Each structure stands twice: as structure tokens, then as C-alpha cells.
Amino acid sequence: VSVKNVHHVGIAVDDLDASLLVYEELFGARLEHRESVEDQGVEAASLRVGESRIELLSPLGPDTPVGRFLAKRGPGMHHVAFEVDDVGAELDRLRAEGAQLIDDRPRRGLFGLQVAFVHPEATGGVLAEFVSDD
Ligand code: CO
């Protein structure tokens, strides 16, 4: 296992601007990146909080992954992302262990990162993400 650290915690929000202000005011967060990704149906902001990172996700519409999450669960924690060197190698390892995956192979995620998601069934209820910077 070659997880280096928790890269970020993803939070689903209804209002990205309002949530940005909350994280800035309450936790001293600093905006690192912000982008809308039409084909993922999401507008996202990456915030630095000290040495750590929070990813705020707001849906571009109700019929999107984050829109459906909000309708079902309401705003709150959405996923935990683990930084690794090689997302594909981690997927191969989890597949060999029989863990349920959402992504069969690494794909291009937010902010240009290589990512893949692991199903909450595999972790006891928390959506997990592998991230690599290249
Ligand atoms: Co993420």
C-alpha cells in the first residue's frame, strides 16, 4: 500500500460561494482552484486549510452525481481522497482484494488530477478517491 496522505476531503454543498465564505471565515481557508466541469455536472473549489485541502462540490443540476447525492443525503461530507503515486496500481491491488470499484481505470478528475473512485460498499459507507498529481 502506498498511500502518502489524505489529499483532500470532498464536501457536497448547495451554494459554492456561500460555502467558500464559511470555510474562509471559520477555518482560514484559501481558494486554490475553482472550476466548472460540465461533463461531471459539478462546480468545484479546492481550498487550502493550513497544510491540508478541502474540495467543495456543488452540482450544476439535480440530475448529476453531486445533485443526486444532495437530494438523498443533504449537504455534508462526500468523499475522502488518498494521495498515491500510481492510481492504476492501487486499483489493481484493490481489485485483487475483491473490493468494489466505481472506476476500473484512472481518469482525468478535477483540477487536472488523475483520479479513481472506490465504492462506499468497500469501505463501510465512505466514498474513497485515489489521487495522483500527474
Ligand atoms: Co475529490
Side-chain angles (χ1 to χ4, degrees):
V1 182
S2 62
V3 172
K4 297 195 280 192
N5 55 37
V6 172
H7 185 271
H8 62 265
V9 173
I11 313 276
V13 304
D14 284 316
D15 182 331
L16 193 59
D17 289 312
S19 298
L20 268 170
L21 279 177
V22 167
Y23 279 82
E24 286 168 0
E25 287 174 5
L26 295 189
F27 306 118
R30 307 175 313 279
L31 182 63
E32 180 180 43
H33 302 294
R34 179 171 177 160
E35 71 176 2
S36 281
V37 184
E38 289 288 336
D39 66 352
Q40 296 183 38
V42 72
E43 183 175 12
S46 178
L47 311 182
R48 298 306 298 248
V49 185
E51 312 248 315
S52 301
R53 195 180 279 108
I54 300 282
E55 186 176 275
L56 301 179
L57 306 163
S58 76
L60 295 177
D63 194 23
T64 60
V66 176
R68 288 188 290 271
F69 178 93
L70 284 173
K72 196 168 152 194
R73 311 267 297 260
M77 204 188 115
H78 182 265
H79 66 271
V80 177
F82 299 101
E83 183 170 12
V84 297
D85 284 323
D86 185 338
V87 174
E90 298 303 323
L91 287 180
D92 290 343
R93 188 175 57 75
L94 264 65
R95 194 179 293 108
E97 290 175 10
Q100 189 175 346
L101 305 176
I102 290 175
D103 294 303
D104 282 328
R105 63 193 63 193
R107 62 182 174 80
R108 185 62 59 182
L110 297 169
F111 317 120
L113 299 165
Q114 285 275 109
V115 307
F117 283 90
V118 180
H119 199 281
E121 282 288 319
T123 64
V126 176
L127 179 62
E129 180 182 15
F130 286 127
V131 172
S132 125
D133 272 322
D134 38 43

